[in-house]
Short mmCIF file of all heavy atoms in Angstrom, two decimals:
data_model
loop_
_atom_site.label_atom_id
_atom_site.label_comp_id
_atom_site.label_asym_id
_atom_site.label_seq_id
_atom_site.Cartn_x
_atom_site.Cartn_y
_atom_site.Cartn_z
N ARG A 347 -100.70 -38.02 -43.71
CA ARG A 347 -101.88 -37.61 -44.46
C ARG A 347 -103.04 -37.24 -43.54
O ARG A 347 -103.79 -36.31 -43.82
CB ARG A 347 -102.28 -38.74 -45.39
CG ARG A 347 -103.37 -38.36 -46.35
CD ARG A 347 -103.60 -39.47 -47.34
NE ARG A 347 -104.52 -39.03 -48.37
CZ ARG A 347 -104.77 -39.71 -49.48
NH1 ARG A 347 -104.16 -40.86 -49.69
NH2 ARG A 347 -105.62 -39.25 -50.37
N ARG B 58 -101.80 -35.85 -50.47
CA ARG B 58 -101.44 -37.26 -50.31
C ARG B 58 -100.07 -37.39 -49.69
O ARG B 58 -99.09 -37.76 -50.34
CB ARG B 58 -101.52 -37.96 -51.66
CG ARG B 58 -102.96 -38.07 -52.17
CD ARG B 58 -103.03 -38.38 -53.65
NE ARG B 58 -102.55 -37.26 -54.45
CZ ARG B 58 -102.61 -37.23 -55.78
NH1 ARG B 58 -103.09 -38.26 -56.45
NH2 ARG B 58 -102.16 -36.18 -56.44
N GLU B 61 -98.37 -42.25 -45.33
CA GLU B 61 -99.09 -42.82 -44.19
C GLU B 61 -98.22 -43.93 -43.64
O GLU B 61 -98.28 -45.08 -44.07
CB GLU B 61 -100.46 -43.34 -44.63
CG GLU B 61 -101.32 -42.19 -45.16
CD GLU B 61 -102.73 -42.61 -45.54
OE1 GLU B 61 -103.62 -42.62 -44.67
OE2 GLU B 61 -102.92 -42.95 -46.71
N PHE B 505 -98.98 -40.66 -58.40
CA PHE B 505 -99.87 -41.50 -57.59
C PHE B 505 -100.85 -42.23 -58.47
O PHE B 505 -101.98 -42.46 -58.09
CB PHE B 505 -100.60 -40.66 -56.54
CG PHE B 505 -99.67 -40.09 -55.51
CD1 PHE B 505 -99.52 -38.72 -55.36
CD2 PHE B 505 -98.94 -40.93 -54.69
CE1 PHE B 505 -98.67 -38.20 -54.41
CE2 PHE B 505 -98.08 -40.42 -53.72
CZ PHE B 505 -97.94 -39.05 -53.59
N ASP B 506 -100.41 -42.58 -59.66
CA ASP B 506 -101.30 -43.25 -60.60
C ASP B 506 -101.88 -44.55 -60.05
O ASP B 506 -102.92 -44.99 -60.46
CB ASP B 506 -100.56 -43.55 -61.91
CG ASP B 506 -100.22 -42.26 -62.64
OD1 ASP B 506 -100.83 -41.22 -62.28
OD2 ASP B 506 -99.36 -42.27 -63.53
N ARG B 507 -101.14 -45.12 -59.09
CA ARG B 507 -101.60 -46.39 -58.53
C ARG B 507 -102.93 -46.23 -57.82
O ARG B 507 -103.64 -47.18 -57.60
CB ARG B 507 -100.57 -46.96 -57.57
CG ARG B 507 -99.24 -47.30 -58.23
CD ARG B 507 -98.21 -47.67 -57.18
NE ARG B 507 -98.10 -46.63 -56.16
CZ ARG B 507 -98.23 -46.83 -54.85
NH1 ARG B 507 -98.48 -48.04 -54.42
NH2 ARG B 507 -98.11 -45.85 -54.01
N GLU B 508 -103.24 -45.01 -57.38
CA GLU B 508 -104.44 -44.85 -56.56
C GLU B 508 -105.71 -44.91 -57.38
O GLU B 508 -105.76 -44.38 -58.47
CB GLU B 508 -104.37 -43.53 -55.81
CG GLU B 508 -103.28 -43.56 -54.76
CD GLU B 508 -103.42 -42.42 -53.76
OE1 GLU B 508 -104.29 -41.56 -53.93
OE2 GLU B 508 -102.63 -42.42 -52.80
#
Side-chain angles (χ1 to χ4, degrees):
Chain A
R347 188 173 188 170
Chain B
R58 292 164 292 186
E61 298 183 87
F505 294 118
D506 292 344
R507 296 172 307 126
E508 291 196 354

